[in-house]
Amino acid sequence: MTGTAKRRGRSTPFARTSDNLTRVELTWIEKKIENWIRFGEPAHEKMLSRSRRILSFRPATIFAFVRWASNDFGTIISRIDIVRTVAPGEAYQTLPFVRPGGEILLKVEGWPKVEQVLRRIDAIEALDIAAPDVSPDHWRHIHNRLAAGHEPRAYTREQHQAYLLRRKTTS
């Protein structure tokens, strides 16, 4: 379905467009609202204003979406979601600012946990492994371990090679 729908005087895109891309709306208002993509390869970028843009991702792309907001009293939200975009007909979960949604591999709230995830991403990239290429199971592992209050295991080159071989044999 293509086109737009009216909501409170603003035009918003319909959930699914004919190009089957997943769209992520990013807002950056210094020290108020800071939404950004930590990793992931967008297929397209559209600038709406100096502080707003929309990134579009192809199906099966994995990206990390970080959201932070504050008010006069301090931080009100710190969150990171690692999401796999879906193809038409696949089930998905909804997520603010992500249309239509995606498969949420990791969802973490609170700055200390968000910071732990960001450090994990840095460690993976230090191994010369691109974060979007990491096994989705590892992102789920990190999510589950942090939710249980345990330390996640590090991702290794050996794990990554095993994942790549497994992916090759199933495709």
Side-chain angles (χ1 to χ4, degrees):
M1 181 180 281
T2 60
T4 57
K6 281 289 205 189
R7 188 177 80 199
R8 294 187 199 150
R10 276 190 4 197
S11 293
T12 58
F14 282 126
R16 188 52 87 178
T17 59
S18 61
D19 61 12
N20 298 320
L21 298 177
T22 297
R23 289 172 172 66
V24 181
E25 184 176 336
L26 302 176
T27 303
W28 187 275
I29 301 170
E30 192 76 30
K31 297 185 181 174
K32 286 288 183 192
I33 301 171
E34 299 177 2
N35 297 344
W36 73 92
I37 299 296
R38 171 57 181 83
F39 66 77
E41 193 62 43
H44 184 263
E45 179 177 358
K46 180 179 181 181
M47 297 296 292
L48 301 176
S49 68
R50 287 184 59 196
S51 61
R52 289 182 52 228
R53 61 192 173 125
I54 295 176
L55 297 181
S56 301
F57 294 91
R58 289 183 179 85
T61 301
I62 295 177
F63 65 90
F65 180 33
V66 181
R67 292 184 284 149
W68 177 88
S70 72
N71 61 17
D72 293 340
F73 302 102
T75 297
I76 55 176
I77 187 172
S78 295
R79 181 171 174 160
I80 185 167
D81 296 284
I82 298 182
V83 180
R84 185 187 70 82
T85 59
V86 296
E90 281 187 271
Y92 61 86
Q93 296 141 316
T94 59
L95 182 64
F97 309 108
V98 179
R99 289 186 179 56
E103 178 186 0
I104 300 172
L105 305 174
L106 175 143
K107 175 174 79 172
V108 171
E109 295 186 43
W111 183 248
K113 288 183 179 179
V114 169
E115 196 172 33
Q116 283 184 24
V117 173
L118 293 172
R119 281 196 307 266
R120 299 273 172 193
I121 294 168
D122 291 342
I124 288 167
E125 292 174 340
L127 296 172
D128 288 326
I129 298 171
D133 297 336
V134 168
S135 168
D137 290 336
H138 185 69
W139 300 123
R140 290 183 193 102
H141 163 77
I142 293 173
H143 167 88
N144 291 330
R145 295 291 288 192
L146 291 176
H150 296 289
E151 188 70 19
R153 289 184 297 277
Y155 194 66
T156 64
R157 282 196 171 100
E158 292 78 18
Q159 277 180 283
H160 189 63
Q161 288 303 316
Y163 166 67
L164 294 177
L165 289 171
R166 190 170 61 245
R167 190 172 68 178
K168 185 189 287 187
T169 60
T170 60
S171 52

